[in-house]
Amino acid sequence: MIIAFEGIDGAGKNTLVTAIKKELNADTLAFPRYEDSIHAQLAQDALHGRMGDVTDSAFAMATLFALDRHGAKALLDEYVDDPSRVLILDRYVASNAAYTTARTGDDAALRWVEDLEFGRLGLPRPDLQVLVDTSPELARERAAKRETQDATRARDRYERDGGLQAATYAMYGRLAEMSWGGPWVRGSDPAVIIQAIRDLA
């Protein structure tokens, strides 16, 4: 199974993924893959102001993130073919849908992301998507605290944009309500999420 954890920056996805990984004896993969993917590295450069005006284009950024995921397609497919294994993702395709639509203000971006990633790039749909439902205010506090404690975690352009984070939070809520890309569960209680995952088996 493929379980994707989604939420805005600072929502607490990594903490929740770590807790649930141990309980389910699952494998994990985080996107963007900054250490392994040239596309993710280019996106990171853009978000930190090192790629000129690339970051001004919501679709250019979304394409880089999509190509990063496509680079892991062979690994993702292994979990589709073997139902005895569980892969937990820290971010997946819904991140592109939420951020791109929040940036453009146009629901056509939802169809574009779906066609690009699940269609043209052939990425597998997740069996479950978990929206880590943390308010933009609390998430912003966490991200700022993380930055002060770790110099390598400097916030990027998206993380510093409070308006974008709030719009993306609202968009994530809509995606969950409409079951975009597959089924969703919303919350941050590990026990509830673990039960939802087990119910899929």
Side-chain angles (χ1 to χ4, degrees):
M1 291 189 294
I2 296 176
I3 313 298
F5 280 69
E6 301 287 357
I8 58 176
D9 297 298
K13 296 181 298 300
N14 184 61
T15 300
L16 199 52
V17 164
T18 300
I20 292 175
K21 170 188 177 180
K22 295 177 182 177
E23 184 69 25
L24 297 177
N25 192 29
D27 299 318
T28 59
L29 177 63
F31 291 109
R33 299 174 304 136
Y34 290 128
E35 293 185 4
D36 304 315
S37 164
I38 183 61
H39 297 103
Q41 291 162 7
L42 291 172
Q44 185 177 44
D45 285 346
L47 287 170
H48 287 282
R50 299 188 291 269
M51 290 278 288
D53 60 359
V54 170
T55 193
D56 293 334
S57 170
F59 291 96
M61 293 300 295
T63 298
L64 288 174
F65 288 126
L67 291 172
D68 168 39
R69 279 184 282 278
H70 183 254
K73 183 177 183 302
L75 174 63
L76 295 168
D77 286 343
E78 290 180 15
Y79 291 85
V80 175
D81 297 335
D82 186 352
S84 68
R85 300 170 67 193
V86 177
L87 177 64
I88 296 177
L89 302 177
D90 183 342
R91 290 201 184 281
Y92 194 44
V93 178
S95 286
N96 241 357
Y99 276 88
T100 306
T101 307
R103 289 192 67 192
T104 63
D106 187 352
D107 281 2
L110 293 178
R111 296 185 293 275
W112 180 81
V113 169
E114 185 170 25
D115 176 65
L116 173 63
E117 299 213 41
F118 294 133
R120 298 172 75 179
L121 296 179
L123 295 174
R125 290 180 183 268
D127 295 282
L128 182 68
Q129 296 168 101
V130 179
L131 175 54
V132 183
D133 201 0
T134 304
S135 72
E137 295 76 20
L138 178 56
R140 183 169 55 250
E141 289 176 12
R142 288 176 176 172
K145 183 178 180 181
R146 185 176 63 197
E147 181 180 40
T148 60
Q149 293 175 339
D150 184 351
T152 67
R153 300 296 299 273
R155 286 179 294 165
D156 61 35
R157 177 172 169 175
Y158 285 5
E159 292 169 323
R160 290 180 178 279
D161 188 335
L164 174 61
Q165 294 296 317
T168 303
Y169 174 79
M171 194 64 230
Y172 267 127
R174 286 185 56 203
L175 293 180
E177 288 173 7
M178 64 195 294
S179 297
W180 187 91
W184 288 72
V185 61
R186 186 171 183 168
S188 57
D189 184 337
V192 172
I193 295 167
I194 289 167
Q195 187 58 52
I197 295 170
R198 286 177 171 158
D199 287 345
L200 293 173

